[in-house]
Amino acid sequence: MRRNFTKLISGLLLSSGIKEPPIDVRKVAQTLQVSVNEAPSENPNNVSFLLKRGSDYLIGLNSECSEREKRWAIACNLWSARQRTPEVIQVQNRDSPDFWAPIGDQPSESTRFALALILPETFLRSDTSRLGRVDLLADPRPLAELASRYKVSTTLLLARLDQLLSLHPI
């Protein structure tokens, strides 16, 4: 079953006091009582890890990664933490095909959750309705501006828009 995360994300954003993009995933982590720490990693390709100690979850981030990578890693790890997955220890690596896989036939549930969290449906629908009808092939600037507003790549934004159109066809 493919989940539609709209209600869950709306509740998390409301609980976290987030009313507009970009989404502060660290604030969402605080709301979910998940700690986030940064430190350099011996392996430069390691982006993050999720560790469970007792009933507490910790997301560890490689401090040398870009802010975009850190935001994505936090969002992906929050799904496992929110599910209260028992005895989780997972490492996200830049070289893993799953890490940057919002586009494709079968993205993981944590990937779809991260995409929905960073680019919430309610915010996107509001922002895209203000754009009106735009020919993005003739003028890609509105897409680039929207991606900048959410602090994501245009590729990630297009993946989310495609996902929303497949959930709610026009």
Side-chain angles (χ1 to χ4, degrees):
M1 178 185 112
R2 288 181 59 97
R3 294 176 196 252
N4 181 338
F5 294 110
T6 304
K7 287 182 185 175
L8 172 62
I9 299 295
S10 293
L12 283 172
L13 297 177
L14 183 65
S15 299
S16 302
I18 298 171
K19 298 177 180 162
E20 63 183 12
I23 304 308
D24 183 347
V25 292
R26 291 171 192 263
K27 196 180 258 190
V28 176
Q30 284 178 331
T31 299
L32 293 172
Q33 299 178 331
V34 175
S35 300
V36 178
N37 292 325
E38 290 187 41
S41 174
E42 291 177 19
N43 181 343
N45 286 324
N46 286 346
V47 177
S48 71
F49 66 85
L50 176 65
L51 178 64
K52 182 179 180 192
R53 285 196 181 147
S55 61
D56 297 328
Y57 284 83
L58 168 70
I59 297 172
L61 299 172
N62 181 346
S63 59
E64 312 221 349
C65 289
S66 71
E67 282 306 310
R68 191 176 283 173
E69 288 174 313
K70 291 174 191 176
R71 284 180 73 227
W72 182 253
I74 292 169
C76 286
N77 281 308
L78 284 176
W79 178 249
S80 294
R82 185 184 183 288
Q83 293 300 102
R84 296 293 176 204
T85 307
E87 304 315 314
V88 172
I89 298 177
Q90 63 188 44
V91 175
Q92 288 185 314
N93 190 295
R94 255 188 210 117
D95 296 335
S96 166
D98 261 359
F99 185 65
W100 294 107
I103 303 169
D105 295 336
Q106 298 296 321
S108 70
E109 201 163 44
S110 65
T111 297
R112 290 186 310 99
F113 174 80
L115 198 55
L117 178 60
I118 290 175
L119 293 157
E121 180 176 357
T122 52
F123 291 9
L124 270 178
R125 288 198 182 280
S126 174
D127 284 341
T128 54
S129 70
R130 280 188 285 236
L131 287 177
R133 294 192 80 48
V134 177
D135 182 353
L136 296 174
L137 292 175
D139 184 7
R141 285 179 298 185
L143 189 63
E145 290 168 8
L146 197 56
S148 176
R149 175 171 163 72
Y150 286 84
K151 294 193 179 190
V152 297
S153 67
T154 54
T155 303
L156 201 64
L157 176 61
L158 285 170
R160 179 63 171 147
L161 292 173
D162 181 59
Q163 183 187 62
L164 290 174
L165 284 174
S166 70
L167 289 173
H168 309 286
I170 295 175

